[in-house]
């Protein structure tokens, strides 16, 4: 039976500024593919329609999906004002059927949605939330469960040492339509205002293994890039121009760029028309289209936006640079 998926993609992406002044976060490329496509591509075959709840820079998203075929019907639903994660779900309710999958648009993970759907169907209840194990849950929404997998408690960002478990909300859900009845109108947070009120309706937690990254920050999106590169996502374009012994170190993805007597890697993503010149070094970074890394410059742990210039000898470490 055909099914719908909903992706929350309307956030401002403030933590990735200044990059997100020009590019909405769902379109930030992760190894050559927009973040949102990392969610769409692995959806189960039965998902024929993807609803994107958008607000900030929706024109850019509209333009992307009208020029790229992602193999599924895409419906963009706009919010005049961002309605929060709960408000966004309520706002698209007329498109939703009985059972639907929902995602925080930043999440890149290895959850097996077919298996999660089986789990949801066999456990019943109003919804199933994917759970990820972390060593330090103090920055996350922490979830407590009973032995049958039913969620019994939520804790938002508990102080160190006070967490009720090491399982966190991974931002991937399967809901029954009934969840919408529990979302009040206006700006609503699913995490704070809805989940704690529906525990009696049977909200289950589904643990998965592999990888999970919330790509909302520079550090995290670069961690996702590292993970995917280490899993074999590396690639060097045949059109890459390498001169004067330019060295590629470790796993990287380099598209049609010019590398001149420089050192690139490990874990670098270099887009088309980038020029990296003599003596420059780039590692653990993303360098977007048309950027120029001048002689002897160093870029580590950073995101260099389209057409940015890193000047001769400059050192850029742990930064997001973009033309505004
Ligand atoms: P920051 O400003 O950096 O915190 O990023 P953000 O605005 O994206 O917020 P956050 O990372 O907490 O959001 C998690 C996910 O929910 C992201 O995929 C957002 O796009 C999405 N999201 C957050 N708020 C809204 C909203 O009001 N409406 C919609 N449609 N999506 C939202």
């Amino acid at each position: 039976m055909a099914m719908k998926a909903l992706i929350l993609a309307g956030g401002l992406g403030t933590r990735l500024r200044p990059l997100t002044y020009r590019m909405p976060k769902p379109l930030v490329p992760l190894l050559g593919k927009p973040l949102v496509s990392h969610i769409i591509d692995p959806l189960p075959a039965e998902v024929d329609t993807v609803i994107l709840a958008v607000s900030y820079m929706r024109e850019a998203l509209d333009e992307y999906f009208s020029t790229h075929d992602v193999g599924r019907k895409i419906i963009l639903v706009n919010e005049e004002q961002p309605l929060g994660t709960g408000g966004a779900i309520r706002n698209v309710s007329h498109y939703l059927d009985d059972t639907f999958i929902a995602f925080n648009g930043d999440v890149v993970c290895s959850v097996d949605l077919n298996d999660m759907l089986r789990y949801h169907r066999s456990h019943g209840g109003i919804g199933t939330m994917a759970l990820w194990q972390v060593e330090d849950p103090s920055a996350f929404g922490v979830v407590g469960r009973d032995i049958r997998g039913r969620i019994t408690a939520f804790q938002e960002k508990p102080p160190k040492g006070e967490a009720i478990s090491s399982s966190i909300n991974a931002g991937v859900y399967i809901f029954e339509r009934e969840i919408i009845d529990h979302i009040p109108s206006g700006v609503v947070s699913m995490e704070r205002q809805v989940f704690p009120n529906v525990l009696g309706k049977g909200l289950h937690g589904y643990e998965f293994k592999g990888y999970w990254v919330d790509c909302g920050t520079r550090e995290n999106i670069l961690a996702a890039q590292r993970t995917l590169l280490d899993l074999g996502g590396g690639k060097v374009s045949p059109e890459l121009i390498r001169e004067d012994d330019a060295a590629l170190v470790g796993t990287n993805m380099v598209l049609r760029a010019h590398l001149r007597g420089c050192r690139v890697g490990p874990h670098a993503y270099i887009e088309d028309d980038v020029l990296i010149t003599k003596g420059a070094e780039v590692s653990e970074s993303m360098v977007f289209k048309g950027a120029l890394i001048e002689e002897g410059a160093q870029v580590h742990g950073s995101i260099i936006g389209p057409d940015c210039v890193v000047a001769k000898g400059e050192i850029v470490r742990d930064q997001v640079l973009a033309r505004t």
Side-chain angles (χ1 to χ4, degrees):
M1 206 185 73
M3 194 177 209
K4 298 201 174 81
L6 161 63
I7 304 179
L8 301 174
L12 297 175
T14 53
R15 292 165 300 159
L16 277 174
R17 284 179 182 166
L19 186 70
T20 43
Y21 283 127
R22 284 284 188 92
M23 187 189 291
K25 189 166 49 173
L27 292 185
V28 171
L30 174 60
L31 297 186
K33 189 160 102 172
L35 270 178
V36 68
S37 293
H38 285 267
I39 296 177
I40 295 173
D41 289 354
L43 284 170
E46 62 198 286
V47 175
D48 63 349
T49 305
V50 178
I51 299 150
L52 279 141
V54 298
S55 182
Y56 178 66
M57 291 193 82
R58 75 185 161 92
E59 297 81 5
L61 286 150
D62 216 354
E63 153 89 24
Y64 180 81
F65 286 106
S66 55
T67 52
H68 293 78
D69 179 9
V70 294
R72 272 143 171 132
K73 184 174 175 196
I74 301 285
I75 301 173
L76 259 62
V77 182
N78 184 44
E79 289 156 44
E80 287 303 329
Q81 294 295 322
L83 291 172
T85 47
I89 296 179
R90 192 183 150 104
N91 192 47
V92 304
S93 58
H94 49 294
Y95 289 107
L96 300 170
D97 311 318
D98 292 348
T99 307
F100 61 97
I101 311 179
F103 297 86
N104 277 357
D106 300 352
V107 165
V108 170
C109 71
S110 59
V111 67
D112 177 344
L113 291 163
N114 284 307
D115 194 55
M116 187 168 162
L117 266 169
R118 275 192 294 274
Y119 179 97
H120 174 73
R121 286 173 178 144
S122 67
H123 284 70
I126 200 167
T128 298
M129 172 186 292
L131 301 180
W132 178 248
Q133 291 275 342
V134 291
E135 270 172 33
D136 174 12
S138 59
F140 300 100
V142 181
V143 168
R145 283 187 305 165
D146 68 16
I147 44 164
R148 285 159 300 148
R150 202 166 159 143
I151 296 175
T152 51
F154 280 102
Q155 230 183 350
E156 198 58 31
K157 302 189 175 72
K160 267 205 166 104
E162 289 179 27
I164 51 173
S165 84
S166 54
S167 298
I168 62 159
N169 174 2
V172 179
Y173 316 96
I174 297 170
F175 290 128
E176 291 304 316
R177 196 187 152 77
E178 190 198 339
I179 192 88
I180 296 158
D181 303 339
H182 299 274
I183 306 175
S185 57
V187 178
V188 177
S189 157
M190 231 28 212
E191 295 80 355
R192 284 186 294 274
Q193 293 161 267
V194 181
F195 293 147
N197 296 333
V198 297
L199 296 184
K201 303 275 169 193
L203 187 62
H204 290 88
Y206 169 83
E207 296 268 2
F208 69 99
K209 300 226 171 341
Y211 60 88
W212 175 84
V213 187
D214 171 343
C215 291
T217 63
R218 172 195 58 78
E219 235 175 327
N220 288 358
I221 197 167
L222 291 175
Q225 171 167 298
R226 195 180 318 126
T227 301
L228 296 181
L229 281 170
D230 287 343
L231 283 169
K235 168 180 137 186
V236 174
S237 159
E239 290 134 289
L240 167 69
I241 300 182
R242 244 160 117 176
E243 297 170 23
D244 308 334
D245 292 332
L248 276 171
V249 183
T251 330
N252 303 285
M253 182 182 269
V254 188
L255 306 181
R256 285 186 293 113
H258 287 249
L259 309 187
R260 225 173 256 166
C262 57
R263 189 184 153 93
V264 169
H267 304 131
Y269 167 67
I270 314 290
E271 279 194 342
D272 297 0
D273 305 322
V274 166
L275 170 59
I276 307 180
T277 56
K278 219 167 161 184
E281 287 182 21
V282 177
S283 72
E284 307 291 343
S285 295
M286 298 172 156
V287 184
F288 293 143
K289 265 193 180 70
L292 167 63
I293 315 295
E294 292 187 345
E295 270 183 47
Q298 291 196 28
V299 175
H300 303 293
S302 296
I303 300 176
I304 309 297
D307 302 314
C308 272
V309 177
V310 178
K312 198 170 168 177
E314 199 180 334
I315 298 177
V316 179
R317 193 177 287 281
D318 302 341
Q319 284 185 54
V320 179
L321 303 186
R323 293 171 78 116
T324 50

